[in-house]
Amino acid sequence: MSEPALPRDLVGYGRTPPDPHWPDGARVAVQFVINYEEGAENSVLNGDKGSESFLSEMVGAASHPARAMAMESLYEYGSRAGFWRLHRLFTERQLPVTVFGVAKALEANPQAVEAMLEAGWEIASHGYRWIDYQYLPEAVERDHIAQAIALHTRLTGSRPLGWYQGRTSPNTARLVVEEGGFVYDADSYADDLPYWDRRFGKSQLIVPYSLDANDMKIVALNGFTEGEQFFRYLRDTFDQLCEEGGRMMSVGLHGRIAGRPGRARALARFCDHVIASGQAWVATRLAIAQHWQAEYPA
């Protein structure tokens, strides 16, 4: 008697990935994400049981059942200064960006939202709150998805077409499919190309994200210690994918991390390397998703 199949795909495209036919013969589709989370993180001010402990300069910080003033100010740097440094970096080079915007964070800084819209950036949904959904009741998560869409629509003038929760639960992917309005879901790190997920009764396009080509590694114990390491890793990733051809590269950024001066300088060098290569299609995640839909319909 055979064992039932695991609800996972461990095979993917195998040895012959499809040719994405990126525009203008590009070897790699490069996609920059700015995660906008500041103000929506764990805080007793937001009704949470404790302060944030994740993704800050204080690696391994404890969560406190009161306001943690240092942690709050580290997050505030992202919205007050770091975001604007990244905004200048990308707009000066006229490079498209996708923002993963947490709805409650966007609500706290209308000027940042205005700047995103003026730049023509895609604003995808990063959920309602920047909290861990692993153990939250399914009904709460479903309600937060609905609230995220409603608030996002009010703040930006249109509903989000991309979704990335980040700190997911076992229910997230199914709830996204049930919601039904997202062109793509980015809550996967499983491939270098988009793919269709058919586990939940409807084909949902997945545009995978990255946690390695991501500035979060700068504030991790096993990560980069300074900007030169960050630049080299991004450059080597890009050059390897260029050599292979027909791949996608996602670069994950945060205002409070890559928006710091020394790191932004490394990021700028990488952007210039990509531009000078002449081998990249730099696009939003939505543009990549729509291209994939046209090349490989569900």
Side-chain angles (χ1 to χ4, degrees):
M1 181 175 170
S2 62
E3 294 292 326
L6 289 173
R8 301 173 62 190
D9 181 358
L10 297 170
V11 177
Y13 293 124
R15 67 174 67 190
T16 54
D19 185 345
H21 302 112
W22 299 132
D24 300 320
R27 299 284 291 172
V28 183
V30 177
Q31 200 287 298
F32 293 98
V33 166
I34 295 177
N35 294 269
Y36 196 87
E37 302 154 348
E38 289 78 11
E41 74 276 12
N42 281 288
S43 169
V44 295
L45 296 177
N46 293 331
D48 301 309
K49 293 181 180 179
S51 59
E52 187 56 73
S53 60
F54 188 48
L55 280 190
S56 83
E57 302 293 328
M58 297 189 297
V59 180
S63 178
H64 302 290
R67 293 183 66 186
M69 307 310 293
M71 182 63 75
E72 288 185 15
S73 66
L74 286 169
Y75 266 73
E76 288 161 8
Y77 184 91
S79 58
R80 292 166 57 107
F83 168 79
W84 297 107
R85 183 168 289 114
L86 296 181
H87 181 269
R88 290 190 294 272
L89 188 157
F90 285 108
T91 55
E92 286 170 1
R93 290 165 174 78
Q94 297 183 316
L95 292 175
V97 169
T98 291
V99 176
F100 284 165
V102 180
K104 292 298 288 183
L106 297 175
E107 183 182 40
N109 195 345
Q111 290 186 36
V113 176
E114 182 181 5
M116 297 169 194
L117 294 172
E118 286 178 353
W121 293 354
E122 176 201 358
I123 310 178
S125 181
H126 198 1
Y128 183 63
R129 291 284 317 283
W130 176 231
I131 57 176
D132 191 350
Y133 284 85
Q134 179 70 35
Y135 300 111
L136 256 63
E138 180 177 332
V140 173
E141 185 174 6
R142 181 182 288 108
D143 180 63
H144 276 204
I145 292 172
Q147 290 191 66
I149 294 168
L151 182 53
H152 186 112
T153 303
R154 178 169 67 80
L155 295 171
T156 69
S158 59
R159 70 150 288 155
L161 298 178
W163 174 267
Y164 177 70
Q165 183 115 282
R167 296 157 87 171
T168 55
S169 82
N171 301 311
T172 307
R174 174 173 51 81
L175 293 175
V176 168
V177 171
E178 290 176 2
E179 193 283 327
F182 291 106
V183 173
Y184 71 88
D185 180 355
D187 275 320
S188 171
Y189 315 100
D191 214 297
D192 296 314
L193 287 173
Y195 61 91
W196 291 98
D197 183 358
R198 299 178 174 88
R199 292 175 298 166
F200 304 113
K202 175 187 174 184
S203 295
Q204 175 65 61
L205 184 62
I206 308 298
V207 180
Y209 189 43
S210 166
L211 296 185
D212 66 310
N214 192 309
D215 67 2
M216 69 175 290
K217 299 288 286 184
I218 294 170
V219 292
L221 291 173
N222 65 336
F224 312 121
T225 59
E226 41 86 27
E228 181 63 21
Q229 291 178 340
F230 185 44
F231 164 72
R232 287 203 311 267
Y233 190 84
L234 295 180
R235 180 201 61 197
D236 289 352
T237 300
F238 175 76
D239 290 352
Q240 176 66 30
L241 294 176
C242 276
E243 184 178 302
E244 295 175 12
R247 301 292 189 271
M248 179 185 75
M249 178 180 179
S250 296
V251 180
L253 308 165
H254 303 72
R256 64 186 179 278
I257 304 175
R260 293 282 178 174
R263 298 162 186 164
R265 197 170 185 87
L267 174 63
R269 289 171 59 201
F270 174 67
C271 290
D272 293 339
H273 177 74
V274 170
I275 294 169
S277 76
Q279 299 189 82
W281 176 42
V282 182
T284 64
R285 295 182 76 80
L286 181 59
I288 291 171
Q290 291 170 334
H291 177 86
W292 196 266
Q293 284 180 319
E295 291 289 329
Y296 297 100

